[in-house]
Amino acid sequence: MAATTAWLPGHADSVLCCQVLGSRKLLASGGEDGTICLSDLSTLKPVGRIDAARGGDAAVPALCTHPGQEEGLFAAAGSAVLQLDLRAGLGSEAVCRTYEVNADEVNGLAASAANGGWLAAADDAGEVAVLSLAPAAGSAGEASSSGSAAGPVTAAGASAARAAAARPAQYKTLRRGHANIASAVAFRPHRPWELLSGGLDSSVVKWDFSRLRPVQTWSLAGETTASGGQLFNPPMVHSIAVPQTDDRGLSRLMAVARGDGCISIYDADFKPAAAAGSGSGGKKGGSKARQQQRQRQQAAPGVPGRLALLGREHGGHAAAVNCLSFLAGSSWQQLLSAGNDCRLLLWNWQRAAAAAEDAAAAAADEAAAAGGHSSSSSLQQGPQAAGGADQAAAAAGEGTACSSEGGRPLLAAEHRQPRKINWACSADLPGCGYNVFIADTGKRITALDLR
């Protein structure tokens, strides 16, 4: 698919991340040079520049928008998170607050408007700091009253005021979920006290951050894959995508970008069937549809809740997938992925999910037809049974990777970049001729039109 291409200058080193601010038609990008560049999407020209490193050598590896402010932005710089208010300007004056609660360098950011607003920051220590975006009670009043009572604010008073402003009203630290670097984080819209974190320990953890405890863990290193995963590269988690919608059918989804070149899509609300329900003396399994669904889920016991796996057999990535997001304007029906193989791919992910469901249903029907004894023995096979289901799903999806028969093709578009891609984001803005923006190891942002 041919794509209209343009380039946005601004950085002096590799561009690590980018984020669209739709209210101002601005593209913010963070770089290895420690700066945040702001570009006008109407003209594709730079309009602002912020030194996030503040004279240091910290890079800017992550950006996210403020859920309660159309012109608000968060940026990771070293172990700090900067809050920007672009109404104040497009330079250093935009930095209105600096949070310093993480133990190590921050790799991933996510924000939620639920319960007063929360910001999550995943760091190199394997921890996730969750900060309340509600203002500290009395902080603004105390600052104003001390200024009016004592006249001009002294240097010591200004320093104390900045320190108070840097302390959120409340923050929590989620520990002991990852054995290695925490690289990605995402909130779940329909479950406001839950968030997902991914790490270089090849695991995804679902947290209840109101209680500071993990609810569920997916160990990708223990999963079997039909093919496609790079043999010597573990499935480290580099990015997590969650549809930001209240639709229950979509908000349960979790897409994971992996270091072995695969993309996994899960039902993050999946709960394994209770073992007690399998005995003859237990309760009845409910409706026939529910029993069939349970059989399908049990057809691949080594991969609980996985809906689809997008690998090389589907035309996918040949190296680590660094970035994953749902394409803006696609009603959450298309996934945008980018990786170290210099490729940007656009997926109609539901086609793979449908193929995997059909394969699991066929496996469940075959197991049921074989009788209770063979069915129970197949459940004891563990990863072997899971691998068979994966291979069947791969075979079902392999022929649809580049074909439009029976509906939309699985792989909707592909773009090859001359360099490794660090990040990609998308926007659906009226009057903007581009809808996808790529940050790679070069100094410029690439703008594409994949519509």
Side-chain angles (χ1 to χ4, degrees):
M1 176 180 178
T4 306
T5 309
W7 293 271
L8 288 74
H11 289 278
D13 206 336
S14 300
V15 188
L16 301 179
C17 59
C18 52
Q19 178 69 52
V20 173
L21 290 94
S23 61
R24 289 278 294 268
K25 288 190 178 180
L26 291 177
L27 178 72
S29 57
E32 194 73 49
D33 57 2
T35 64
I36 302 168
C37 291
L38 300 169
S39 302
D40 187 337
L41 291 179
S42 300
T43 63
L44 300 184
K45 294 181 178 180
V47 294
R49 184 182 179 90
I50 300 167
D51 181 13
R54 295 161 291 182
D57 58 356
V60 181
L63 296 167
C64 78
T65 55
H66 194 301
Q69 298 179 8
E70 292 185 349
E71 301 188 45
L73 185 71
F74 295 102
S79 60
V81 178
L82 279 59
Q83 181 176 341
L84 282 64
D85 186 348
L86 300 184
R87 295 172 298 182
L90 301 179
S92 59
E93 66 275 8
V95 180
C96 60
R97 181 174 293 183
T98 301
Y99 298 105
E100 297 182 349
V101 298
N102 284 85
D104 212 328
E105 292 187 3
V106 176
N107 301 303
L109 295 174
S112 169
N115 299 315
W118 292 89
L119 172 70
D123 64 27
D124 276 359
E127 300 175 351
V128 180
V130 188
L131 298 75
S132 171
L133 297 180
S139 58
E142 290 171 4
S144 61
S145 63
S146 62
S148 60
V153 179
T154 64
S159 178
R162 285 194 297 270
R167 290 193 298 268
Q170 181 184 8
Y171 76 91
K172 310 165 183 283
T173 302
L174 307 178
R175 297 186 175 94
R176 294 181 292 277
H178 295 283
N180 205 328
I181 294 171
S183 54
V185 67
F187 285 95
R188 309 191 65 207
H190 72 303
R191 296 186 184 275
W193 292 111
E194 284 188 4
L195 65 81
L196 302 163
S197 64
L200 301 192
D201 58 354
S202 303
S203 69
V204 177
V205 181
K206 179 167 68 174
W207 300 88
D208 179 347
F209 67 90
S210 68
R211 300 181 181 181
L212 300 179
R213 65 180 183 88
V215 177
Q216 186 174 353
T217 299
W218 290 264
S219 178
L220 276 62
E223 290 188 2
T224 57
T225 59
S227 65
Q230 290 184 307
L231 183 61
F232 301 108
N233 283 358
M236 298 177 179
V237 177
H238 294 294
S239 180
I240 299 175
V242 174
Q244 298 300 305
T245 174
D246 292 330
D247 185 297
R248 292 300 181 95
L250 291 171
S251 58
R252 66 187 176 92
L253 297 175
M254 170 181 70
V256 179
R258 301 163 36 145
D260 60 358
C262 293
I263 298 168
S264 298
I265 303 175
Y266 301 87
D267 178 356
D269 289 335
F270 168 82
K271 294 181 180 179
S278 61
S280 59
K283 294 182 179 180
K284 293 184 178 180
S287 66
K288 182 178 180 181
R290 185 174 300 175
Q291 291 177 359
Q292 291 175 345
Q293 182 183 16
R294 184 178 297 121
Q295 289 175 344
R296 293 173 186 176
Q297 291 168 345
Q298 290 177 343
V303 193
R306 194 171 76 189
L307 303 177
L309 178 71
L310 306 176
R312 293 186 66 178
E313 70 276 9
H314 303 111
H317 293 279
V321 186
N322 294 327
C323 173
L324 190 63
S325 62
F326 287 91
L327 182 71
S330 70
S331 301
W332 318 106
Q333 303 303 305
Q334 292 184 309
L335 269 174
L336 193 67
S337 65
N340 283 346
D341 58 355
C342 307
R343 298 166 69 212
L344 178 96
L345 302 178
L346 184 61
W347 302 88
N348 291 316
W349 63 267
Q350 285 191 328
R351 190 172 181 87
E357 183 178 358
D358 291 343
D365 292 342
E366 182 179 353
H373 176 71
S374 59
S375 175
S376 60
S377 62
S378 65
L379 290 178
Q380 295 173 359
Q381 292 174 2
Q384 295 179 355
D390 284 331
Q391 291 170 0
E398 189 172 5
T400 64
C402 301
S403 172
S404 59
E405 296 180 3
R408 296 184 299 176
L410 174 58
L411 194 58
E414 176 181 357
H415 169 79
R416 292 186 178 270
Q417 194 76 351
R419 304 177 184 86
K420 292 181 180 180
I421 300 175
N422 293 321
W423 201 256
C425 65
S426 60
D428 185 22
L429 301 176
C432 181
Y434 304 90
N435 69 331
V436 175
F437 305 92
I438 301 174
D440 62 20
T441 55
K443 302 176 182 179
R444 299 188 299 176
I445 294 280
T446 303
L448 302 175
D449 185 9
L450 295 182
R451 288 170 291 200

